[in-house]
Amino acid sequence: MFELNLNRTDFAQVGTTNRNCMKVIPVDKAELRKKGRGLDKIVVGSQNGCVICICRKHNDTQIVYKTLPGAAIEAVCLGGALGSVQDKVFVSSENTVRGISKKGKQFFNFETNMAEHAKKMYIYGVDLVLCGKKSYNHYHDCADANYVLCNEEIHDVVVLAMEGAWGGRAFTAILACNDGTIKVIEGSKVDYEIQLSDIPYTLYLFMGDGGFNRQMVLYGTKGGRIGLLEVPAGGGQIIWEINTTTAAAVTCIICYAMTGNSSPDIILGKEDGLVEIYTVDESDKTNFKQSYQCEESITGIGCGRISNEEVDELIVCTYTGWLFSLSRQAFGATPAPNEKGQLPPTQPIHVKVQQLKNELDELEAKVNEERNRYEELTRKGGKTSAFVPHFQVHDNFTFNSTHCCYILTLELVIPIDYIVIQSEVDMKLLEAEKNTAVISHTEAEEMGWKVLATYRCQANTTRIELRLQVDDGVAGALHVYVCPKIHPKMCQSRTYEVKPLATYTRVHAFDVARPKNTLSFTGSFSLAEAHAWLVQCLPSLPPRPPPQDSVQFNFQSTVNGGTQLQVSYSRGSIIFTSDSMSAIAIVRENISEELTRRQIKAATHCDLDEASIDYCLKLLNPKMSHLHEVERRKNFALALKELEANNESIEDWITDEYAAILRDHNKIFEEAARDSLQDSNIVSIYEDLLLYRGVLMGMNARGRLPALRELLFTNYSLENVKTFFKSTGNDADMKK
Amino acid sequence: MNLQTVFSYSLDSRLEAKCVVMGTLSPQAQPTLIAVTTANKILLKNDESKLNFGEKIRTIAVAPFGNGYDVLVIGTESQVICYDAHLNTTVFQRDIPDGINNIVVGSMGGFEEVVVCGGYCAIWGFDRAGRDVFWTVTGDSVTAMCLVDYDSDGQMELVVGSADYEIRIFKNDLMRCELMETDAIVALSALGGQRFAYGLANGTLGVYDGEARVWRIKSKHIVITVLPFPTPEHITCVWDSGKIDIRAGNSGEVISKEFVNGAVSGAVLCSPSQADQPTQLTIALLDGKVRTFEVGDRRDPQEEAHQLLREYGQQKHNLLMELSNYEHEENMSKEEKEGENRIPADTQLETIPRVNRVTGKVEMVLNASNEVPIQGVVMFAEGLFPGESHVTFPKTEPVDTITVALAPQKDTALDVHIKAFMANNGSNLLHIFEVTRSLPRFSRFAILLPEENIPEQEGFVEFKLNQRMQKMVDWVYDNFIVPDDYPPLDNEAEQLDVKFSGLYPKLGTSLRIKYDVSQQQVRVEHSEMETAGAVVQSIAEHFQVTTIESHARFPKEFDELALILNEMDGVYNAKERLNAELSESQNLLKETLVRAEDALHCDHVSIARRYYTRVKHNDRAMRQAAQLRVTNQARLVTAIRRLNKLVELAARLRVGEPARQVVTQCREALSNENETILAKLFEFGA
């Protein structure tokens, strides 16, 4: 399949936007009837509250209307009578939903009784669905119909189409929740949940209407996966789930026939600025087709024919508010002749450039004036306070299991000058391909910090991604100072908490058959207190405890082959169960500390199972063996290459295995560059296991670390490591 | 303009970094790519044969010494070999015990064709017959070289970059100019005219026009090479990561970008054999893949305009943001402003460089007015810190003053860009106060009061200088940190006598500078030759003096010289002896092997066994001998390197022709085995 040649054309800069605040309005029916032709328009709502509708004429952007600024626009939806063109614009801000007419006038205003801001919105005929952080509200013709309160944050919502044969089902909405589930809501109750391995972030009705049975939903996750669900009444299933090209969150999905296939394609926009196009075949399976990289995170995508009736365009809206189109049509290509068959007059591009340049000069003069005025102010003295320019920092700090590190992304609407890292926690700053900033470390220990560093960005960087590798068990604050190119010079500090068990993620199932170590605390503490301690140790827990008397959460490690941790707690009791002694030791350390700090008396009981060590080692074995195999093949490849260089036709006398290695020489080296024992932190997982077991058994195993490293690097086998752990466990002289 | 791939192929071997050249190795042949593999072989494209070398190859080059074709020049870890691949003969071969890092070939100064080899601290020039035509020393390991007509006199000068952050320009063997950079030089390329590009190990890329730097940029990648391509006004930079960019030569502005997948070994240009063909750029990757590019047509002007539009759009956006901030400010109520915990508008930041005699460090003291706490300080400076920046955050509650200790590793003048984060405690919006301070060249010395005494200095250098006292005093103020409360130096005095004590990392040393107007004599007293040399060079630069002849005595270095010369004798003797032993045991081994095989043929198994046992013994003995040779060689190399360095230090006590004379005469003395006069040369010059 050949690639589409996508050309970028910038339409406008509209100011910072939230997710899902840009839509393509289909061509007006009346206009179409009258003229027999027409173009789609674009509507976008920005954080300053403006709703802007634009169209393209004569190769230039024209504003159809622009509303006054106000509260930030949280969502933009298109609606209309069922069965007709969905071209009415509805926007939500705070807890109000407004309808905006084609001329930019407000024709509808509905103030809801919601206690929180309406973050997500879905409109279907006269049904309106609004979701706050945790509540789901359904209004039928502006009257309360249904309400559901979730325990966890809601990231997106869609409503199944109900006309025709499917009308028998109650009003059904699908919610993407932060606990890694997709909840299917019928009426005012949760019909069922579908458990995912990642947190769903974006939902979209398959093919725009739910597919052939109107019950198929596409979802995109925070970890960069997409999948297709079928959600009939009573119970649903995942049809497929695939990885996209990067592990960044999927921020928007749309289906549109972009590649010229008979069935629509799936188009994604992602947090890291990638637009990806996937084709869909007859059996609803999907294949990656191509991608486009833009420098800023994407908040909205839409498709339509904006500039030309004949050409499909992909419209992209970014966080900083760039609105641009990707189309197969080349730059400045002559637009279609108008009805009289004449070419419309186009403004020469250099005139536009000059206009903009003049505008810039004017602005610059104005800005300089303001700067001077401020300068004056600082010299004058007196009681005035310094001017604080404001700027938004769009940040995200999450643990990523693919790269096995925290990923911190920072995005600003103005270029970043440099970033300063100040950490209480020991961490390794890893290389990220897309990060072009120059990093520089400062010796931090003498000042009492663990890491101090600067990232100086290249010109015009508005988005930066940092990768931070932290070992299990360490916890503390990471302070980041973001210094943009702003005048007067100002920076913002942000603080992120590194959690001791960050490598664990919430899962839905717990394997009880594994050998288990248990740790329990019993004493006089409330459920809320217990929950608060857990939030400090483990990621992706809701900030408040669920309204139950006893709560249970399951976790699984993403890095060590998948050890599990189960926690059950109620008033006065917390019980941890895990096959990993490391996890148990880390939990014990952190919770005991908390108990001492708050002077709460609690009995601690720890039950260890030696068999769990073997089990952990077995879980680590596949990764470790693989790394050793890679290393071995690389060395062979190197040696064989040299043999080949010195001897003629060595293929004749080397074994088939060696011949294969020689043939794959380049592939092996590429693999080794990607995946090497030295660079991976797998050895530290073994070391932790040894040390933490020592801690739990009251021994100091630090002295055995060199021997362990030696064994892992030079003489690894599952049996050898098992024996090593057994022998050190029995070492009497290591007892304190 | 943009790069377009013409063809690509794989050499099917992993390559050494920076060992890729283009050359025509036989008459009437097409230029071919020549590369060195990690298995230490020289690969010729279009040619099945590979050239094998026993010694580790460090660098290769081609020289037009054949009859209408190029010969290979190969630098290894102990020799330079000029090899004619067409005739399969060695043109010349010279031993260079401590190895060759870089080779350039071309006309230089008065020499028509010269092969210039850069080693450790030393540079050799050979003519086409392998005769010595040129020798000089430089401050550290030579890491890059190129030939540039830096003074536009029609003759090429040699530009040498070394690991001690310096670029030196030599006219023949006279050093004309030193340019201080901020990290080891990794690439140098002539760009035509007086211009040349340089790349540093910290990711800097820049262009000099003569002695003036035209521009520089810094990236997180490292430059492999810079080529004057595709036009004389443009340069093409190839980075280790596979990034290739075409930039405007006079501004560094990026014109076009390309990317190859993988780490780059080297890049070369291939000039067309016919006039109507375009020049090609060939990039070889470490994994053996090769891609060749040509420059494509200019891009669609429409697209460029769009680019420009986007850029202006972004600028407009940034300006609008700033304006809206001012507007927002005006619309804010007083209460809202107070809620933000702001600092007074007239807050000032004071920065004072100071010498801390207790810790022995230079300190930058920051004081904020209005008692505004300084939350943290970031300093950016090239060549002062291990990286480009230094971050300081107080561990305790921030207050309105903070002190940052600095430890310059070299005697260079530096600009320190200070950015102080200031805000009331608890605020997450911090004001950045920016100040740039410069540190003088000799900031590692603290000036002492006239009444303070320092120990008598053993080392000194004396030279004539005819200047007014006023100017000499200016020089002191320009090059040392002199506190404001220090008693002013007398501009009219007959004699100047200033004393300094060394700071970290020169703690414990002292420096004394005397100047006598009537005798026109400067005397610098210090225990180390290197710093004394830097003082001489600084004075020469300040007063624009082109010739300084001096008298010097540095017991520490002079003793070391005697020691090295002494040791070298022994090492050379040992080397000869070991080599003789080597050939002896080789012969013995050969003989034993033949006898052993004979015995086998005659079915005398027991005798054969005895011979093989002897082979085994020989083998062990030879392994031991090899180890000895390695150690001996290492000692020799260390001695030679240190000797070269000492010669360079001695030369730096002089300026201009006398400095050159010291180098040439030292070289002569060494090659004539007349080492005894070295100490005299060091002391009195040539």
Side-chain angles (χ1 to χ4, degrees):
Chain A
M1 262 199 301
F2 60 93
E3 283 209 341
L4 298 177
N5 186 17
L6 292 178
N7 291 305
R8 172 171 171 161
T9 314
D10 290 317
F11 284 176
Q13 237 284 359
V14 295
T16 326
T17 58
N18 283 325
R19 200 152 71 89
N20 280 327
C21 283
M22 188 273 295
K23 291 282 181 293
V24 172
I25 308 175
V27 59
D28 191 50
K29 266 276 171 63
E31 190 186 328
L32 198 62
R33 255 198 315 276
K34 212 161 62 200
K35 296 191 195 160
R37 57 196 305 141
L39 290 169
D40 298 340
K41 298 188 184 81
I42 303 168
V43 62
V44 53
S46 65
Q47 286 188 2
N48 62 10
C50 291
V51 179
I52 303 162
C53 179
I54 62 162
C55 65
R56 293 283 287 179
K57 256 185 204 154
H58 311 325
N59 219 349
D60 196 9
T61 304
Q62 295 186 347
I63 294 178
V64 181
Y65 63 79
K66 179 175 180 181
T67 66
L68 290 174
I73 306 292
E74 305 278 6
V76 175
C77 274
L78 296 179
L82 290 179
S84 73
V85 183
Q86 305 283 304
D87 61 355
K88 308 271 182 301
V89 176
F90 293 90
V91 301
S92 80
S93 53
E94 292 184 332
N95 58 357
T96 308
V97 176
R98 286 177 290 156
I100 295 166
S101 76
K102 272 170 237 164
K103 298 272 179 344
K105 298 276 176 297
Q106 185 173 310
F107 70 85
F108 171 81
N109 187 27
F110 172 48
E111 202 163 312
T112 69
N113 51 359
M114 280 173 71
E116 41 184 3
H117 286 190
K119 292 270 183 204
K120 299 284 171 259
M121 173 168 64
Y122 198 90
I123 288 173
Y124 180 73
V126 292
D127 289 294
L128 165 70
V129 165
L130 292 174
C131 288
K133 232 176 156 136
K134 287 189 180 173
S135 66
Y136 157 82
N137 306 269
H138 170 210
Y139 303 92
H140 185 79
D141 229 350
C142 294
D144 278 356
N146 292 303
Y147 174 81
V148 173
L149 185 67
C150 293
N151 289 335
E152 315 242 356
E153 194 176 334
I154 300 166
H155 290 301
D156 207 356
V157 59
V158 290
V159 172
L160 293 188
M162 298 184 299
E163 72 248 67
W166 317 102
R169 197 170 169 189
F171 186 84
T172 309
I174 318 293
L175 302 182
C177 294
N178 199 39
D179 58 354
T181 61
I182 287 183
K183 293 186 172 45
V184 179
I185 312 256
E186 279 192 22
S188 276
K189 67 171 202 342
V190 179
D191 188 19
Y192 57 89
E193 292 180 353
I194 296 171
Q195 299 176 337
L196 304 180
S197 57
D198 194 1
I199 297 167
Y201 198 56
T202 311
L203 297 174
Y204 189 77
L205 289 181
F206 187 53
M207 295 297 139
D209 56 6
F212 71 94
N213 61 2
R214 303 288 181 266
Q215 307 192 57
M216 312 254 265
V217 175
L218 281 168
Y219 63 90
T221 73
K222 270 197 162 170
R225 292 169 69 78
I226 54 165
L228 181 63
L229 292 172
E230 194 177 8
V231 286
Q237 56 164 340
I238 298 171
I239 298 172
W240 50 258
E241 185 178 287
I242 55 164
N243 277 326
T244 59
T245 53
T246 57
V250 178
T251 51
C252 41
I253 306 179
I254 192 171
C255 289
Y256 191 87
M258 199 59 199
T259 55
N261 281 9
S262 54
S263 60
D265 309 302
I266 300 172
I267 301 159
L268 318 174
K270 304 211 297 186
E271 180 96 76
D272 61 353
L274 267 176
V275 176
E276 297 181 12
I277 303 177
Y278 291 79
T279 54
V280 180
D281 64 17
E282 293 77 10
S283 55
D284 293 342
K285 289 276 181 318
T286 187
N287 288 303
F288 175 69
K289 166 99 175 170
Q290 75 178 96
S291 64
Y292 174 86
Q293 175 76 57
C294 123
E295 302 307 318
E296 301 156 12
S297 68
I298 291 167
T299 52
I301 45 175
C303 288
R305 298 182 174 181
I306 314 293
S307 309
N308 187 320
E309 287 91 343
E310 312 298 323
V311 182
D312 288 316
E313 282 172 274
L314 181 60
I315 311 300
V316 182
C317 179
T318 71
Y319 169 70
T320 54
W322 277 107
L323 203 58
F324 64 88
S325 99
L326 296 173
S327 75
R328 279 186 280 179
Q329 196 182 35
F331 285 107
T334 2
N338 63 11
E339 50 270 38
K340 288 177 196 142
Q342 294 164 328
L343 288 175
T346 45
Q347 205 178 17
I349 190 137
H350 65 264
V351 175
K352 261 205 272 186
V353 171
Q354 194 51 48
Q355 271 174 4
L356 195 58
K357 179 87 186 110
N358 294 346
E359 241 177 280
L360 262 183
D361 291 343
E362 253 171 65
L363 270 175
E364 229 161 276
K366 246 197 229 167
V367 165
N368 275 334
E369 209 173 287
E370 290 283 349
R371 282 187 189 181
N372 289 339
R373 238 182 47 188
Y374 180 69
E375 197 76 7
E376 206 93 323
L377 195 74
T378 57
R379 270 199 298 268
K380 220 165 49 198
K383 285 260 182 308
T384 48
S385 60
F387 165 37
V388 178
H390 289 252
F391 58 92
Q392 266 187 31
V393 178
H394 182 62
D395 57 347
N396 187 13
F397 180 70
T398 40
F399 187 82
N400 181 294
S401 54
T402 327
H403 299 293
C404 190
C405 61
Y406 275 105
I407 294 187
L408 172 62
T409 54
L410 296 163
E411 187 166 10
L412 268 61
V413 291
I414 39 179
I416 307 174
D417 197 357
Y418 55 94
I419 286 169
V420 183
I421 303 277
Q422 173 200 15
S423 172
E424 292 175 355
V425 184
D426 204 7
M427 52 175 62
K428 215 161 99 190
L429 308 178
L430 303 177
E431 185 82 356
E433 309 88 42
K434 278 183 199 153
N435 179 344
T436 56
V438 180
I439 180 172
S440 163
H441 287 272
T442 299
E443 189 55 57
E445 290 294 338
E446 56 188 276
M447 277 180 271
W449 301 101
K450 284 291 195 311
V451 179
L452 292 174
T454 58
Y455 280 90
R456 192 170 49 76
C457 298
Q458 302 292 336
N460 289 329
T461 307
T462 54
R463 184 179 191 280
I464 184 167
E465 181 181 310
L466 314 181
R467 292 189 184 162
L468 318 159
Q469 196 177 66
V470 184
D471 284 341
D472 255 346
V474 294
L478 162 72
H479 307 284
V480 176
Y481 298 82
V482 187
C483 310
K485 290 192 170 125
I486 196 171
H487 193 93
K489 283 279 176 184
M490 197 77 206
C491 78
Q492 247 185 65
S493 74
R494 295 268 155 155
T495 301
Y496 307 95
E497 281 303 320
V498 173
K499 300 191 173 178
L501 285 173
T503 57
Y504 281 75
T505 56
R506 289 253 308 269
V507 289
H508 307 289
F510 185 75
D511 181 3
V512 287
R514 298 188 181 186
K516 52 177 174 278
N517 308 293
T518 48
L519 170 71
S520 61
F521 294 92
T522 39
S524 51
F525 48 82
S526 68
L527 183 125
E529 279 176 306
H531 184 81
W533 302 333
L534 290 180
V535 169
Q536 282 182 20
C537 293
L538 286 153
S540 57
L541 282 173
R544 254 180 270 282
Q548 290 150 15
D549 287 340
S550 82
V551 188
Q552 190 173 60
F553 287 114
N554 298 320
F555 296 89
Q556 182 159 2
S557 167
T558 50
V559 294
N560 66 5
T563 59
Q564 297 188 327
L565 174 70
Q566 185 176 60
V567 51
S568 324
Y569 59 101
S570 53
R571 195 165 71 83
S573 149
I574 319 178
I575 301 165
F576 294 93
T577 316
S578 175
D579 47 352
S580 159
M581 287 200 195
S582 302
I584 291 286
I586 290 167
V587 166
R588 194 177 78 167
E589 209 175 291
N590 281 277
I591 302 228
S592 306
E593 206 173 283
E594 203 58 35
L595 287 170
T596 334
R597 210 155 58 92
R598 289 164 190 257
Q599 298 188 317
I600 294 172
K601 281 215 182 76
T604 313
H605 182 76
C606 195
D607 224 348
L608 299 179
D609 184 356
E610 266 296 321
S612 73
I613 290 285
D614 278 2
Y615 194 82
C616 284
L617 296 176
K618 211 173 85 195
L619 286 176
L620 280 164
N621 185 46
K623 177 82 187 288
M624 195 66 180
S625 311
H626 169 74
L627 290 174
H628 272 285
E629 177 63 13
V630 167
E631 183 93 1
R632 192 183 70 92
R633 280 161 60 91
K634 182 184 147 183
N635 288 338
F636 267 112
L638 201 67
L640 285 165
K641 199 76 198 173
E642 186 154 355
L643 269 183
E644 188 193 30
N646 288 328
N647 297 280
E648 295 201 353
S649 56
I650 63 164
E651 291 86 353
D652 299 349
W653 48 270
I654 56 174
T655 65
D656 289 349
E657 188 204 347
Y658 291 159
I661 289 180
L662 192 57
R663 256 197 318 278
D664 292 340
H665 177 269
N666 286 344
K667 231 195 283 169
I668 290 169
F669 266 85
E670 278 164 29
E671 196 177 355
R674 252 197 331 267
D675 229 1
S676 84
L677 189 55
Q678 261 71 29
D679 293 342
S680 89
N681 67 340
I682 191 163
V683 172
S684 73
I685 297 175
Y686 282 98
E687 290 175 349
D688 281 352
L689 189 61
L690 187 69
L691 291 177
Y692 283 123
R693 183 186 63 172
V695 168
L696 290 175
M697 293 182 158
M699 305 186 296
N700 184 358
R702 198 157 284 279
R704 300 305 303 264
L705 285 183
L708 177 64
R709 287 186 76 86
E710 171 82 20
L711 175 71
L712 291 174
F713 278 113
T714 57
N715 193 19
Y716 174 81
S717 79
L718 182 56
E719 280 317 308
N720 285 352
V721 187
K722 278 184 179 173
T723 324
F724 178 87
F725 270 83
K726 274 212 184 71
S727 70
T728 42
N730 297 334
D731 250 354
D733 57 315
M734 274 182 15
K735 298 244 158 74
K736 268 179 192 162
Chain B
M1 59 189 75
N2 60 338
L3 290 170
Q4 289 168 352
T5 308
V6 191
F7 50 83
S8 59
Y9 53 89
S10 173
L11 292 172
D12 204 25
S13 297
R14 299 190 71 77
L15 305 182
E16 279 291 323
K18 294 196 170 189
C19 284
V20 180
V21 289
M22 191 67 98
T24 313
L25 294 182
S26 52
Q28 275 101 45
Q30 291 293 318
T32 49
L33 189 71
I34 305 154
V36 179
T37 70
T38 46
N40 208 39
K41 287 173 185 56
I42 297 179
L43 268 186
L44 311 176
K45 194 212 153 196
N46 306 335
D47 197 336
E48 286 299 301
S49 65
K50 291 171 181 160
L51 307 175
N52 272 307
F53 275 87
E55 277 176 34
K56 180 84 190 128
I57 298 167
R58 288 218 192 126
T59 182
I60 53 169
V62 289
F65 292 170
N67 191 6
Y69 59 91
D70 295 327
V71 298
L72 277 173
V73 187
I74 300 141
T76 72
E77 55 191 2
S78 74
Q79 54 184 331
V80 53
I81 301 156
C82 186
Y83 172 76
D84 185 330
H86 178 56
L87 299 175
N88 192 16
T89 51
T90 301
V91 183
F92 68 80
Q93 182 268 332
R94 292 290 306 263
D95 280 339
I96 292 171
D98 60 344
I100 295 287
N101 298 333
N102 283 87
I103 299 174
V104 285
V105 181
S107 84
M108 181 189 78
F111 308 113
E112 260 311 297
E113 285 169 332
V114 55
V115 177
V116 186
C117 304
Y120 189 93
C121 282
I123 301 165
W124 291 261
F126 303 111
D127 67 5
R128 58 191 304 160
R131 284 184 297 260
D132 272 326
V133 290
F134 167 80
W135 188 82
T136 191
V137 285
T138 174
D140 203 332
S141 176
V142 175
T143 46
M145 292 195 293
C146 72
L147 295 167
V148 173
D149 184 8
Y150 121 101
D151 52 3
S152 298
D153 63 349
Q155 285 188 342
M156 293 301 229
E157 284 80 42
L158 177 66
V159 182
V160 179
S162 51
D164 62 353
Y165 306 5
E166 282 195 43
I167 299 173
R168 293 176 176 81
I169 302 176
F170 291 92
K171 173 137 203 110
N172 293 328
D173 48 3
L174 172 68
M175 189 171 74
R176 287 287 303 273
C177 153
E178 275 180 294
L179 305 166
M180 270 288 201
E181 273 306 328
T182 55
D183 206 338
I185 290 53
V186 293
L188 281 172
S189 310
L191 301 179
Q194 291 171 260
R195 292 187 304 137
F196 62 92
Y198 71 95
L200 305 184
N202 65 10
T204 305
L205 161 74
V207 165
Y208 272 100
D209 192 345
E211 287 176 31
R213 185 163 51 214
V214 188
W215 56 266
R216 67 169 169 183
I217 55 124
K218 199 171 166 196
S219 139
K220 77 167 182 179
H221 304 293
I222 297 168
V223 180
I224 292 285
T225 184
V226 183
L227 300 162
F229 175 78
T231 70
E233 285 77 43
H234 293 97
I235 57 171
T236 299
C237 317
V238 183
W239 304 80
D240 60 346
S241 59
K243 207 168 62 147
I244 306 164
D245 37 44
I246 300 179
R247 290 168 184 269
N250 52 12
S251 67
E253 186 197 348
V254 179
I255 288 164
S256 161
K257 281 185 201 167
E258 187 57 47
F259 201 80
V260 287
N261 254 335
V264 174
S265 161
V268 281
L269 291 179
C270 178
S271 312
S273 47
Q274 278 140 21
D276 58 339
Q277 284 176 340
T279 303
Q280 291 179 333
L281 168 72
T282 300
I283 312 268
L285 305 184
L286 288 182
D287 63 4
K289 294 205 177 63
V290 178
R291 250 169 98 178
T292 297
F293 295 93
E294 277 172 13
V295 166
D297 295 335
R298 283 210 146 264
R299 256 190 290 177
D300 185 4
Q302 287 272 358
E303 194 183 326
E304 267 174 37
H306 273 275
Q307 279 280 340
L308 208 59
L309 272 181
R310 196 178 310 164
E311 203 176 291
Y312 285 160
Q314 186 69 48
Q315 280 177 25
K316 180 178 158 189
H317 170 76
N318 295 346
L319 289 172
L320 280 174
M321 283 298 297
E322 194 174 334
L323 269 184
S324 76
N325 266 326
Y326 287 111
E327 271 167 34
H328 180 73
E329 172 76 10
E330 272 165 26
N331 295 335
M332 267 171 103
S333 68
K334 208 171 164 207
E335 288 72 37
E336 277 177 311
K337 285 184 190 174
E338 269 163 15
E340 280 185 334
N341 199 1
R342 294 183 172 194
I343 65 169
D346 61 346
T347 306
Q348 303 279 331
L349 179 74
E350 191 185 25
T351 55
I352 311 150
R354 167 178 94 178
V355 165
N356 185 332
R357 297 276 294 277
V358 181
T359 57
K361 285 189 178 175
V362 182
E363 291 177 344
M364 196 63 81
V365 184
L366 279 71
N367 274 321
S369 63
N370 295 334
E371 295 184 343
V372 175
I374 302 176
Q375 305 284 340
V377 181
V378 181
M379 293 186 182
F380 285 94
E382 292 287 344
L384 178 58
F385 312 116
E388 60 171 20
S389 71
H390 184 272
V391 182
T392 314
F393 280 102
K395 187 70 190 179
T396 49
E397 179 93 332
V399 291
D400 59 352
T401 176
I402 194 168
T403 305
V404 183
L406 306 171
Q409 296 298 312
K410 283 177 170 290
D411 292 321
T412 3
L414 292 166
D415 276 343
V416 188
H417 305 278
I418 303 165
K419 294 161 203 287
F421 296 171
M422 306 200 341
N424 290 320
N425 293 338
S427 174
N428 74 332
L429 284 168
L430 296 85
H431 290 269
I432 306 176
F433 282 68
E434 297 187 332
V435 185
T436 298
R437 294 296 304 230
S438 27
L439 283 183
R441 183 162 180 182
F442 299 102
S443 59
R444 299 193 295 178
F445 289 96
I447 195 160
L448 300 177
L449 290 169
E451 60 270 22
E452 285 180 279
N453 275 321
I454 54 167
E456 195 63 30
Q457 295 294 300
E458 287 178 326
F460 71 87
V461 51
E462 282 177 341
F463 54 91
K464 295 279 175 212
L465 184 74
N466 182 11
Q467 288 295 339
R468 285 192 294 126
M469 180 54 82
Q470 155 104 53
K471 290 201 163 171
M472 197 64 199
V473 168
D474 287 350
W475 174 80
V476 172
Y477 278 116
D478 282 358
N479 286 280
F480 293 88
I481 298 179
V482 183
D484 290 341
D485 55 357
Y486 187 83
L489 297 169
D490 188 358
N491 282 336
E492 307 297 328
E494 273 300 290
Q495 280 169 342
L496 173 80
D497 182 1
V498 276
K499 287 166 280 188
F500 304 89
S501 83
L503 298 175
Y504 187 85
K506 292 182 73 74
L507 215 56
T509 63
S510 304
L511 171 71
R512 184 171 195 165
I513 296 168
K514 294 181 186 168
Y515 182 56
D516 190 314
V517 179
S518 56
Q519 293 188 7
Q520 301 183 356
Q521 171 132 321
V522 181
R523 184 178 163 101
V524 179
E525 294 178 4
H526 186 57
S527 53
E528 278 163 33
M529 210 149 108
E530 184 157 13
T531 301
V535 173
V536 174
Q537 298 298 321
S538 165
I539 289 177
E541 240 170 71
H542 187 87
F543 297 109
Q544 304 274 314
V545 186
T546 50
T547 323
I548 289 180
E549 173 63 272
S550 60
H551 172 221
R553 249 198 104 69
F554 289 91
K556 204 176 95 193
E557 276 88 357
F558 286 18
D559 290 351
E560 191 186 350
L561 175 71
L563 211 70
I564 288 172
L565 292 175
N566 209 353
E567 177 171 338
M568 272 172 74
D569 260 354
V571 173
Y572 270 121
N573 286 341
K575 188 177 178 179
E576 261 166 47
R577 204 187 66 236
L578 287 169
N579 280 346
E581 275 174 18
L582 174 67
S583 53
E584 201 176 299
S585 29
Q586 271 172 339
N587 286 337
L588 192 69
L589 187 65
K590 275 182 202 154
E591 194 189 320
T592 324
L593 265 180
V594 172
R595 278 172 186 274
E597 273 174 33
D598 267 0
L600 268 187
H601 274 291
C602 307
D603 277 347
H604 294 156
V605 179
S606 62
I607 300 175
R609 177 172 292 134
R610 233 169 51 215
Y611 280 127
Y612 276 118
T613 322
R614 197 180 289 171
V615 168
K616 202 173 137 196
H617 285 307
N618 272 335
D619 177 64
R620 194 179 303 149
M622 284 177 80
R623 276 169 197 275
Q624 274 165 4
Q627 196 54 48
L628 274 179
R629 282 200 306 278
V630 168
T631 337
N632 197 56
Q633 177 71 13
R635 272 175 66 197
L636 179 64
V637 166
T638 331
I640 290 177
R641 286 179 178 180
R642 188 61 197 159
L643 186 62
N644 288 342
K645 180 74 193 168
L646 285 174
V647 171
E648 199 255 347
L649 290 179
R652 282 177 61 86
L653 296 172
R654 284 98 194 164
V655 177
E657 184 60 21
R660 190 186 75 86
Q661 282 292 333
V662 167
V663 175
T664 348
Q665 300 219 1
C666 284
R667 173 65 179 165
E668 233 162 67
L670 282 172
S671 53
N672 298 337
E673 299 189 10
N674 186 14
E675 288 100 347
T676 41
I677 71 156
L678 276 182
K680 286 269 170 301
L681 284 170
F682 275 31
E683 183 165 352
F684 299 104

